[in-house]
Amino acid sequence: AGDGRSLQRIQYNEVFRTPPSLPFDAFPDWYAALSKFASLVHDPAFECEVDMAKGNVLLMNNWRVLHGRPFGKASPNRHLVGGTITRESLYSRANQLQAALRRDPSLPDIPGLRPAPTLP
C-alpha cells in the first residue's frame, strides 16, 4: 500500500465498457491483462450460484463482490428489484433489533447473537 500500485477497486462490465484512455504502446499489455481477468471472472471455480426462489433476499456489498446473472437463465416472470442500503443504516437497524430482542423475554433466544459492529 502507498506505492501507487495497490488495487483499490474493480469496475467491470462487459456491456458498458468504454474505450480505454491509455497510451497505444501500453494497449497490448492492458488487453492481455483484461483477457486474463475475464477468463478468471468466468471460471466456474470462482462462481457461486444462488437460488433466487420466491421470497428470497440477497444482500451484497456492491463494491466488494463481483456479481452478475448468467445469460439466458432468467425466468420470464421474475422481478428483480435493486436498492441501496448504507452500512450505517444496516448497523443502526441491527443494533435496534438486538436491543429489542434483549428487552423482550417472549422473543426467542438467538444463539451467538453479538452486537453489530460499531463504525469507525
Side-chain angles (χ1 to χ4, degrees):
D3 60 6
R5 299 174 57 101
S6 298
L7 180 63
Q8 298 296 316
R9 177 173 73 204
I10 295 173
Q11 289 182 251
Y12 178 74
N13 188 319
E14 294 169 339
V15 177
F16 300 113
R17 189 176 339 127
T18 59
S21 57
L22 53 119
F24 182 76
D25 60 335
F27 187 80
D29 288 340
W30 175 86
Y31 191 76
L34 175 66
S35 296
K36 176 65 176 174
F37 180 75
S39 71
L40 292 171
V41 165
H42 294 286
D43 186 330
F46 301 111
E47 291 180 358
C48 175
E49 197 166 316
V50 178
D51 178 28
M52 290 303 296
K54 183 176 181 176
N56 285 5
V57 174
L58 175 66
L59 298 175
M60 72 182 85
N61 184 332
N62 217 27
W63 294 109
R64 306 238 350 148
V65 177
L66 289 173
H67 58 282
R69 291 168 294 284
F71 179 76
K73 283 195 171 183
S75 58
N77 58 354
R78 178 179 77 160
H79 296 283
L80 190 61
V81 178
T84 300
I85 303 170
T86 64
R87 182 173 64 162
E88 293 80 5
S89 296
L90 178 68
Y91 288 165
S92 175
R93 186 66 177 138
N95 280 323
Q96 290 173 351
L97 292 171
Q98 288 173 335
L101 284 170
R102 290 189 174 96
R103 280 193 309 270
D104 189 341
S106 69
L107 294 173
D109 185 39
I110 300 176
L113 183 65
R114 299 184 315 267
T118 56
L119 295 171

